[in-house]
Amino acid sequence: MTGAAAGGLAFATSPAQAEYQDVTDVPGFSCDQPQFTCGREVRAADGMVSTVDPIASGVAATILREGGNAVDAAIALQYVLTVTQPHGSGIGGGGFMVIYDADSGEVDIVNSRERASRNAEAEQFLDDDGEEVPFAERIQTGEAMGVPGTVRGLEAACERHGSRPRQRLIRPAIELARNGFTVDAFLAEQIAENTEKFNDAALETFSDDGGTLYEEGDTMTNPDLADTLDRIRREGAEAFYEGEVAADLAAEIARNAREPDRVVDEEDLAEYEVTFDEPVREEWYGYEIVSQPPPSSGGAIVYYILKLFELLGGEAHEIRSPEKYHLLAEAQSLAWADRNEYLGDPEFVEVPLAELLSEEYLQSRADLIEIGSTVYDYENDEESQPGDPLAVASSASTTAPATAMQSGSTTHFSVVDQWGNAVSYTSTIEQFMGSGKVVPGRGFMINNELTDFSAEPEGPNRVEPGKRPLSSMSPSMVLEDGVPVLTAGSPGGIRIITATAHAILHSMVYELDPLDAIVEPSIFKSTLPPVHYEEGVPESARETTSEWGLVWGDEEVQGNVQVIRVADDELIGAADPSRDGQATGFDRAAGGGGDRGRGR
Ligand code: GLU
């Protein structure tokens, strides 16, 4: 290894070669150690971690070094993120963990999505006049808080796939919470921007002993969270879902509720169970796209968009050509219409997934799209409409309003180990800093995930007792001959789907290296105009496609993608430069794996 300067080193000007950070908060780990290589994009032989947080990447890499597998590393990593990135995910939230088991060649999914209370009702987001409670208010109510699934999910993953005891995997998070860690720029920003929704416990959690909010570079401790995690370490998930922690969590939810007897209570917590899902698994350009099925729309819609691109022969067009953007914008537009019409929690809703993703149906959707014109009249604000995958007029069709656009909270991370096991895991508390309410004395933030339900009491994504809200999270893998060659995923509300689809497309069809695939500009369009785009989409392409009928909106960052490419003889990890992420590679033989930014 060519050596990393402690404290970080800027080595290039292009976003694809942004600086990397050494990690000083993790005992026994440093990017200087020969087995590890850290950076926005790194290469290694025996293990790879890509996360939004260098500390979490470092912890996960130490688990790989001591012989833990990808699931062990992912569990330790998620517990660390609870401490170091509490604005994005944590034990107060839920997520989807897609696992490739190299021994069996099977894909398993641990679905720890939050659930509504058994007492929830479809009208819970309407006020006394039947009007929707304004979103900014809704996200802070007890009605928005679902039963968190993360702790049970991690326990289930550990039991089914782990090779290390829970106690070992939680320990790094406990130590970081107790001894302190360095607040990064993004956490500091989220603390400063969310104080309005904080309860007293949150203000206390995110302030130092003198009562000043933590800023970038400060050392933050969270002793209450250390104690909560220590209980889980000793007693397992029961320590979270039953007893004192559960009682305090239920009390805080009730305190914020408009109707306290309709929100998550201790019984809901005690009853929570994860599910083990069959992935969306579909053929694409000779590969397979493998991803999260409903109650996430993510996997299905990532595939839908990518498949339309394939059916339209999109690969014939240059990566920044007007044709490529046009096809992707139109594919997205049709995909969202079907998403909103048909997708919801399959425990409650008849989801016509097989029909929706059938080649025949997708071909019929692709046939609507052509270069030179648009399917709908976006200049006059026309909205794209769903098709009919069942090929019969649906007798019970009710249209769900699109989920509100979210700001890009959540976190995605991936791990691949020396045996070829892989994890693609997207995890969330919904908004940045979730509901803004920390459970007093317990140190963790409660999600506001149930605002992912439609506020209107109709459609496949309406609130129902015990139901899981429709998600966009898209933890994905691309398989070749049944074996992962790429993992990808992102935060970003409904932009999760498009950010993930672009990363896969740019990697596999345009054959870009992972970091280039991430930073290659993506676009986003829902059922309505305009098309949002990232910096780098040429003005000439926007002009040409405007003549064809697309309406362009603002330039904005889409998602925060983490990717691992499993190449023939090496693993390449990349972390999106739009936040502080870092990939960390592991090589058993000393000598390191090489960082592209440092001359390999
Ligand atoms: N709650 C969102 C979902 O499950 C993710 C939140 C976000 O990334 O903005 O789709």
Side-chain angles (χ1 to χ4, degrees):
M1 172 168 159
T2 43
L9 173 70
F11 48 72
T13 50
S14 103
Q17 296 181 327
E19 69 182 35
Y20 73 98
Q21 301 169 36
D22 199 5
V23 176
T24 51
D25 300 302
V26 181
F29 175 85
S30 164
C31 294
D32 278 336
Q33 289 168 336
Q35 300 102 324
F36 298 126
T37 313
C38 308
R40 293 293 196 199
E41 181 179 276
V42 298
R43 292 159 189 261
D46 299 313
M48 185 60 67
V49 184
S50 177
T51 85
V52 72
D53 177 28
I55 299 172
S57 292
V59 166
T62 62
I63 302 284
L64 295 180
R65 176 177 57 186
E66 66 184 50
N69 66 28
V71 174
D72 295 324
I75 293 167
L77 208 165
Q78 174 62 81
Y79 275 118
V80 169
L81 291 174
T82 299
V83 177
T84 58
Q85 302 275 309
H87 50 282
S89 73
I91 60 174
F96 303 116
M97 189 193 237
V98 177
I99 301 162
Y100 172 78
D101 182 328
D103 274 346
S104 65
E106 301 289 331
V107 177
D108 189 21
I109 296 183
V110 181
N111 174 344
S112 59
R113 184 69 167 167
E114 297 91 332
R115 288 181 186 273
S117 167
R118 70 195 184 294
N119 297 317
E121 55 180 356
E123 295 79 17
Q124 69 178 29
F125 293 121
L126 302 182
D127 63 19
D128 295 342
D129 300 325
E131 299 293 321
E132 282 180 25
V133 176
F135 193 70
E137 200 181 308
R138 218 187 300 161
I139 59 166
Q140 300 189 47
T141 58
E143 279 77 1
M145 303 172 187
V147 182
T150 293
V151 176
R152 275 237 198 283
L154 295 177
E155 183 161 271
C158 193
E159 278 166 10
R160 283 163 81 95
H161 299 280
S163 72
R164 291 287 181 278
R166 173 188 72 237
Q167 289 82 348
R168 163 67 188 106
L169 303 177
I170 302 186
R171 206 170 64 220
I174 298 171
E175 285 169 2
L176 284 159
R178 214 176 292 290
N179 303 333
F181 64 93
T182 310
V183 172
D184 73 7
F186 205 79
L187 171 55
E189 192 181 302
Q190 292 311 316
I191 292 172
E193 283 181 5
N194 286 289
T195 48
E196 259 178 39
K197 67 179 181 185
F198 282 173
N199 62 355
D200 288 348
L203 283 171
E204 201 183 305
T205 300
F206 295 112
S207 301
D208 61 22
D209 290 344
T212 306
L213 291 173
Y214 287 116
E215 290 176 5
E216 183 184 356
D218 287 349
T219 300
M220 176 175 164
T221 56
N222 189 342
D224 289 344
L225 182 57
D227 290 345
T228 304
L229 293 172
D230 199 37
R231 281 171 180 258
I232 299 169
R233 179 184 69 82
R234 283 183 274 115
E235 298 162 36
E238 269 64 43
F240 183 86
Y241 290 95
E242 290 171 38
E244 292 173 14
V245 174
D248 288 350
L249 170 56
E252 187 58 25
I253 294 173
R255 200 173 1 261
N256 289 284
R258 291 162 58 244
E259 290 193 59
D261 54 348
R262 293 220 169 261
V263 295
V264 168
D265 62 13
E266 283 184 74
E267 201 176 324
D268 291 316
L269 292 168
E271 280 176 4
Y272 181 83
E273 281 179 10
V274 298
T275 58
F276 304 102
D277 299 349
E278 279 297 314
V280 164
R281 189 165 181 159
E282 300 288 342
E283 189 279 331
W284 175 72
Y285 280 110
Y287 302 107
E288 278 178 290
I289 303 287
V290 175
S291 191
Q292 178 64 42
S296 183
S297 60
I301 302 303
V302 164
Y303 170 69
Y304 187 129
I305 294 166
L306 290 174
K307 191 67 181 179
L308 258 54
F309 190 83
E310 182 188 8
L311 293 170
L312 289 159
E315 73 284 353
H317 305 294
E318 294 289 326
I319 196 162
R320 295 196 183 178
S321 65
E323 290 83 1
K324 178 212 174 200
Y325 296 121
H326 185 82
L327 296 181
L328 282 173
E330 288 288 74
Q332 291 177 34
S333 185
L334 297 178
W336 295 126
D338 282 336
R339 171 195 189 271
N340 297 339
E341 178 76 7
Y342 296 111
L343 299 185
D345 183 349
E347 287 182 3
F348 291 78
V349 181
E350 210 49 67
V351 178
L353 196 63
E355 293 84 354
L356 190 69
L357 301 186
S358 67
E359 187 151 343
E360 200 181 8
Y361 177 65
L362 292 178
Q363 184 67 58
S364 76
R365 299 295 268 171
D367 289 346
L368 300 173
I369 297 173
E370 55 187 17
I371 305 283
S373 64
T374 50
V375 183
Y376 294 95
D377 183 0
Y378 305 126
E379 277 152 12
N380 287 307
D381 272 343
E382 209 179 331
E383 185 167 14
S384 48
Q385 297 299 313
D388 185 0
L390 294 169
V392 287
S394 171
S395 53
S397 175
T398 45
T399 304
T403 328
M405 298 235 185
Q406 290 114 6
S407 57
S409 39
T410 306
T411 179
H412 177 82
F413 55 89
S414 292
V415 185
V416 177
D417 67 24
Q418 58 183 295
W419 301 281
N421 301 301
V423 171
S424 185
Y425 189 173
T426 314
S427 179
T428 187
I429 51 173
E430 213 309 268
Q431 295 275 295
F432 281 126
M433 291 290 182
S435 61
K437 317 301 177 212
V438 163
V439 180
R442 306 298 174 190
F444 66 91
M445 182 63 77
I446 310 175
N447 70 83
N448 68 293
E449 210 71 49
L450 304 190
T451 51
D452 276 358
F453 281 121
S454 307
E456 289 296 319
E458 59 192 40
N461 192 31
R462 68 181 176 276
V463 181
E464 294 182 69
K467 191 177 179 182
R468 298 163 297 184
L470 187 65
S471 172
S472 295
M473 291 191 286
S474 313
S476 302
M477 294 181 190
V478 179
L479 270 50
E480 186 173 17
D481 299 327
V483 176
V485 290
L486 187 83
T487 70
S490 176
I494 52 178
R495 287 163 172 73
I496 290 171
I497 296 175
T498 43
T500 304
H502 278 86
I504 293 173
L505 180 71
H506 295 157
S507 297
M508 306 314 298
V509 173
Y510 289 99
E511 297 181 349
L512 298 184
D513 278 349
L515 191 53
D516 292 332
I518 292 172
V519 299
E520 178 62 31
S522 63
I523 60 166
F524 171 84
K525 183 186 178 306
S526 69
T527 51
L528 285 165
V531 185
H532 300 277
Y533 62 98
E534 286 188 312
E535 185 184 352
V537 174
E539 202 180 327
S540 57
R542 283 183 277 130
E543 276 169 13
T544 303
T545 51
S546 297
E547 284 161 23
W548 298 343
L550 287 185
V551 175
W552 290 82
D554 299 328
E555 185 182 296
E556 55 178 43
V557 174
Q558 315 278 334
N560 181 261
V561 180
Q562 324 302 336
V563 156
I564 297 177
R565 180 86 165 93
V566 184
D568 286 344
D569 52 355
E570 63 180 355
L571 303 167
I572 313 168
D576 196 327
S578 66
R579 293 186 199 167
D580 297 329
Q582 186 149 289
T584 299
F586 162 61
D587 283 275
R588 276 176 295 176
D595 179 329
R596 196 181 66 174
R598 279 175 269 153
R600 278 181 48 153

